[in-house]
Amino acid sequence: MNDRRPFLLRGADLLVSTLVDCGVTRIFSLSGNQIMPLYDACLGSGIEIVHVRHEAAAVFMAEGWAQLTGEVGVALVTAGPGAANAVGPLMSARQSETPLLLLSGDSPRAQDGMGAFQTLDQVAATAPFTKHSARVGSVPTLAHELRAALTLARAGRPGPVHLALPQDLLTQRAEGVPSSSRTAAATVPASERETARLAAEIAEARRPLIVTSGLLSPTRGGDLARRLGQKLAVPVVALESPRGLRDPAQPGLRQRMAEADLVISLGKSVDYMLDFGRATSANCGWIVVEPEDGAGEEAVRNLGPKLRRLIAADPRALAQRLADLPEAGCDAARRDWCARFGRRPAPPALDETPGLIDSGLLCATLSDVLGADGGETILVSDGGEFGQWAQALVRADRRLINGPAGGIGGALGHAVAASLACPEARIAVASGDGSIGFHLAELETAVRAGAAFVVVIGNDRRWNAEHLLQLREFGPDRVHGCELSGARYDLVAAAFGGTGAHVTCRSELRGALRRAFAAGGVVLVNVEIEGRAAPSGEEPEAAETAQPDG
C-alpha cells in the first residue's frame, strides 16, 4: 500500500492531509458511524490512531500528549453521545492551558432540522470550555478552518479548540481543493523597552516574586523558569496544583506571598489559585503580563490599587527575553529570599518493618524506587487526597497532574500518552482507589498500544478527600456515602493483559515496586493503605496558628 493517497478524493482525505502537513502523527480516538471516513483516510497517511475505550479518555490522552511534546494534541470522537462524553475533560485542558484539538463527527448538514440520528448542537455544548468551537460549513473551507483552529489552540493563552465535522462533508468530493501547510502560533512580543523596564523593577524590589502557570513548569517549559530566576535573582513559582497557594508540593508559599513587595504574574490568571491577590500585603505592587486582549479584566477587578500595570505580551516570549539578559547581581538578603522557595516537604522515614502502610510512606517509597535507575522519570498523578500526597512527595523529572480544574480520573489517559510520547522514560502513575475507577478499562488500551508504566493505587477503601471534608465540616457522626470496597484492581489489570500485584504491609512494599518497574509493560500495584489528610501546604509553625479563611 502506498504511504499516501495519490490525490484527494473526499473531505475526509483533505482533512487528514491537512493534519499531516501540520505535523500531526497521532490521534486519540473512539470510533463511530460519522467518523469512519476519517479512519479510512488515515490508512497510509502516517497518522496512527490510538483507539480508546471512552471518549473522555481520548481527550485526556490528547492533553497529556500536548503537555509532553509541545504539539497540539488531537482527539477524534463521533457524534451525539460520543461528542457529549468528550466535553468534561475540555474544562481541564482549558484551565491547564493545553493546546488541544477536538474533532467530532456530526449529523449531515443535508439533514439539519429533520431530526437526524445523534443530532446535537455540539458548538453550544463545547463553547464554554474551549477557545473556539465551530461546525465546518463546507468542503472548500475545511482546510482553512482546520489550520485556523490549530493556530488558535497555541496562540496567546493556549487551550482546546473544537471542530464539528458533518458526515456528508467528509464524504463529499474534494478534488481541486487545496491542502494546507504547517501552522505557527502568533505571539505578541514585549518591546525591548518594556523588557528592560520590568527587569529594572525586579532588581529594585527587595522581595520580588514571579508567578507563572504550568506553561513554564519543568514539564512544559524545560529549564526556562530556572534560567529566568537565576538571571534576575528572583524566585519563579509555577502554579498548576488545584490547591493553589496551598500546594502541598510547595510548603509555605502562601506565607511567602504575604512577604513579597512585588509580584509579577507572568501569564498566570489572578484567580482562586492566587487567592484573588488577597494573599499579598496592601503595599505589594503587581505587574500582570497577559497574552490576550481583554484578559486583564480579572486582574483589574481582583487587585484594585495593587495593580501597577498590565503588559500585553506572550509570557513565554517575555520570559525568554528576560532570561537572555545579563545575570543580575544580588545581596545576601536577596539570596536568602530566593532560597526560601522551592523547598519540598520532608518525606517520612522509609520504615519497612511489618505493619500498615500510610499515604506518606507509600509515596516516599515510590519516589525512591522510581528514581533508582537514574534515567528520565515521569510522574502521572491524579487528584484526590492520595494524588496530593503523590504530588508533594514523589520526585520526577516531569509530571502530569490533574491541574487547576481539580478534576479526577484522567491519570490513565495521561499515562498512555506519556508512554507513547516518551517510550524510554520510567513512568509512575499515582491514583486513589476512587479516581482509578473512572477509566479503568483504559488499561486494556494501554496494553494494546504497547504502553509501559506502573500504576500505584493508594487503596484506603473510600473517597478520602470527601470523607475528610465530612469529618471536618459535619463531624464524625455524619460521615457516610464515601465508602468503597476492597476491590482487587490488580486482578483487573491482569485480566486486561497487564500484570497485577497486591500489597498489604510495609515489609512487602519496596520489593513489589521494584518488581513492578522491572517487569515492563503495564503493571498495577494495588496497595492497601491507611488514608490520611495530605500535607496542608503551610509551613509547620504557620499551620499550627492558621485561622479558617473568611
Side-chain angles (χ1 to χ4, degrees):
M1 179 182 294
N2 293 331
D3 289 340
R4 297 288 304 278
R5 289 177 177 271
F7 51 87
L8 300 177
L9 299 175
R10 307 157 293 183
D13 301 294
L14 176 60
L15 185 141
V16 168
S17 178
T18 303
L19 288 173
V20 169
D21 288 341
C22 292
V24 175
T25 59
R26 183 169 276 124
I27 291 174
F28 303 95
S29 178
L30 184 57
S31 58
N33 292 9
Q34 295 88 343
I35 58 173
M36 296 321 293
L38 290 169
Y39 273 58
D40 181 68
C42 281
L43 279 173
S45 70
I47 291 180
E48 176 191 358
I49 294 176
V50 179
H51 204 164
V52 307
R53 305 301 296 267
H54 193 282
E55 289 88 356
V59 181
F60 281 126
M61 291 181 196
E63 180 184 37
W65 177 267
Q67 290 194 19
L68 287 172
T69 65
E71 302 171 4
V72 178
V74 182
L76 171 64
V77 303
T78 194
N85 281 344
V87 170
L90 292 175
M91 181 177 180
S92 291
R94 183 70 166 125
Q95 294 203 19
S96 67
E97 301 178 18
T98 301
L100 183 154
L101 170 64
L102 173 63
L103 297 171
S104 61
D106 199 358
S107 53
R109 277 197 169 272
Q111 296 177 10
D112 284 357
M114 299 172 62
F117 175 59
Q118 295 188 336
T119 189
L120 170 70
D121 186 349
Q122 295 185 27
V123 172
T126 62
F129 310 106
T130 61
K131 295 183 66 177
H132 171 74
S133 184
R135 189 180 188 219
V136 176
S138 66
V139 170
T141 65
L142 181 57
H144 170 75
E145 291 192 56
L146 179 57
R147 289 195 302 269
L150 287 167
T151 298
L152 185 59
R154 301 185 66 177
R157 191 183 297 280
V161 295
H162 168 225
L163 291 180
L165 308 169
Q167 187 175 13
D168 49 0
L169 299 191
L170 297 179
T171 57
Q172 282 180 20
R173 306 291 287 184
E175 288 95 341
V177 178
S179 184
S180 79
S181 59
R182 289 184 180 270
T183 60
T187 61
V188 182
S191 66
E192 290 187 13
R193 180 178 179 181
E194 185 63 75
T195 302
R197 179 185 178 188
L198 183 57
E201 288 173 305
I202 293 171
E204 292 168 3
R206 293 177 58 219
R207 293 182 298 277
L209 172 62
I210 293 177
V211 292
T212 77
S213 69
L215 284 176
L216 267 68
S217 70
T219 298
R220 302 171 69 181
D223 69 345
L224 178 56
R226 181 192 61 78
R227 290 190 293 110
L228 174 62
Q230 181 177 331
K231 285 294 184 72
L232 300 182
V234 59
V236 181
V237 175
L239 287 172
E240 54 182 347
S241 166
R243 300 199 178 185
L245 295 179
R246 293 184 175 88
D247 181 357
Q250 304 189 69
L253 184 55
R254 184 178 176 84
Q255 293 94 303
R256 299 290 84 77
M257 284 286 293
E259 300 173 44
D261 60 354
L262 175 66
V263 175
I264 296 91
S265 179
L266 199 58
K268 176 71 193 81
S269 297
V270 187
D271 56 11
Y272 84 96
M273 296 176 72
L274 285 169
D275 196 22
F276 313 106
R278 295 179 302 201
T280 55
S281 71
N283 297 323
C284 178
W286 285 68
I287 299 171
V288 176
V289 180
E290 279 290 351
E292 296 177 349
D293 291 339
E297 293 179 4
E298 191 176 79
V300 172
R301 183 183 309 112
N302 292 337
L303 292 173
K306 293 181 182 179
L307 181 62
R308 288 188 184 177
R309 70 181 183 281
L310 288 168
I311 300 175
D314 182 277
R316 293 163 295 184
L318 178 54
Q320 185 64 62
R321 275 196 164 187
L322 289 168
D324 288 340
L325 293 174
E327 189 164 328
C330 64
D331 58 19
R334 186 70 163 264
R335 287 195 296 271
D336 177 69
W337 169 246
C338 293
R340 297 168 74 183
F341 291 81
R343 297 171 180 170
R344 299 289 297 268
L350 300 181
D351 184 357
E352 299 179 14
T353 59
L356 292 175
I357 304 165
D358 65 28
S359 306
L361 177 63
L362 172 53
C363 291
T365 307
L366 173 59
S367 182
D368 197 43
V369 175
L370 175 63
D373 76 342
E376 181 188 12
T377 56
I378 298 175
L379 168 68
V380 179
S381 175
D382 222 315
E385 209 66 21
F386 181 70
Q388 294 301 317
W389 275 104
Q391 292 173 35
L393 295 183
V394 180
R395 270 76 166 170
D397 298 315
R398 307 173 80 186
R399 67 177 194 166
L400 298 173
I401 68 172
N402 61 325
I408 62 175
L412 284 180
H414 287 161
V416 172
S419 182
L420 296 177
C422 307
E424 302 302 318
R426 193 168 163 106
I427 302 171
V429 183
S431 174
D433 52 327
S435 55
I436 198 65
F438 278 62
H439 294 293
L440 191 60
E442 300 306 330
L443 289 170
E444 190 274 338
T445 303
V447 172
R448 179 165 32 87
F453 50 77
V454 174
V455 183
V456 178
I457 296 180
N459 189 345
D460 54 16
R461 305 192 180 202
R462 64 186 181 223
W463 297 94
N464 196 34
E466 289 70 28
H467 169 83
L468 292 168
L469 186 151
Q470 288 180 333
L471 282 173
R472 184 173 65 249
E473 299 292 333
F474 311 120
D477 58 336
R478 302 193 66 80
V479 173
H480 74 108
C482 295
E483 300 81 11
L484 293 170
S485 71
R488 293 293 302 274
Y489 304 101
D490 49 303
L491 299 180
V492 175
F496 278 136
T499 304
H502 187 215
V503 178
T504 59
C505 69
R506 288 198 295 261
S507 59
E508 302 170 347
L509 180 58
R510 180 176 295 273
L513 292 177
R514 283 175 172 168
R515 290 190 294 273
F517 282 105
V522 177
V523 184
L524 187 150
V525 184
N526 181 17
V527 185
E528 302 277 354
I529 65 169
E530 179 183 359
R532 295 185 178 179
S536 67
E538 305 259 350
E539 290 181 324
E541 63 274 16
E544 293 173 4
T545 59
Q547 299 297 316
D549 290 340

